Amino acid sequence: MKRHHIVGIIAGICGIGLTVRSALSGYIIDALINFILLSVLAIATFFKDKLPPRWSQPILPSWVRVILVCIALLAWLFLNYLR
């Protein structure tokens, strides 16, 4: 089993856990967002080696990806803990 398969499985398990937690707390919109985003991440990482070579190359520069991840983490932190 390759490393990206393990990451895909872990992302899927985390997505299910976050979706169930949000749904049981009554935040249906958050549950849908968690499910959609983490499902896409899990599927994309699990089937990474099935993509054609041009799709496996990075589209964005690394500094843009770092900024997007930081913005996503801050938004997640704000939505879940700073309400």
Side-chain angles (χ1 to χ4, degrees), residues 32-60:
L32 288 173
I33 291 170
N34 286 334
F35 178 74
I36 291 169
L37 292 179
L38 290 173
S39 295
V40 168
L41 176 71
I43 291 170
T45 55
F46 193 80
F47 293 112
K48 178 184 171 196
D49 51 352
K50 302 285 185 206
L51 294 173
R54 69 175 194 162
W55 288 103
S56 62
Q57 296 175 357
I59 297 171
L60 299 173

Side-chain angles (χ1 to χ4, degrees), residues 3 5 7 28 38 46 54 57 63 79:
R3 190 178 335 161
H5 290 125
V7 171
I28 301 301
L38 290 173
F46 193 80
R54 69 175 194 162
Q57 296 175 357
W63 63 273
L79 287 174

Side-chain angles (χ1 to χ4, degrees), residues 2 8 11-12 14 21-22 42-43 55 59 76 78 80-81:
K2 294 182 180 177
C14 291
R21 184 181 72 131
S22 297
I43 291 170
W55 288 103
I59 297 171
W76 178 77
F78 178 75
N80 287 320
Y81 295 108

Side-chain angles (χ1 to χ4, degrees), residues 60-70:
L60 299 173
S62 61
W63 63 273
V64 174
R65 286 183 274 167
V66 169
I67 290 173
L68 289 175
V69 167
C70 290

Side-chain angles (χ1 to χ4, degrees), residues 16-33:
I16 291 169
L18 286 172
T19 302
V20 169
R21 184 181 72 131
S22 297
L24 292 177
S25 297
Y27 299 113
I28 301 301
I29 301 299
D30 289 345
L32 288 173
I33 291 170

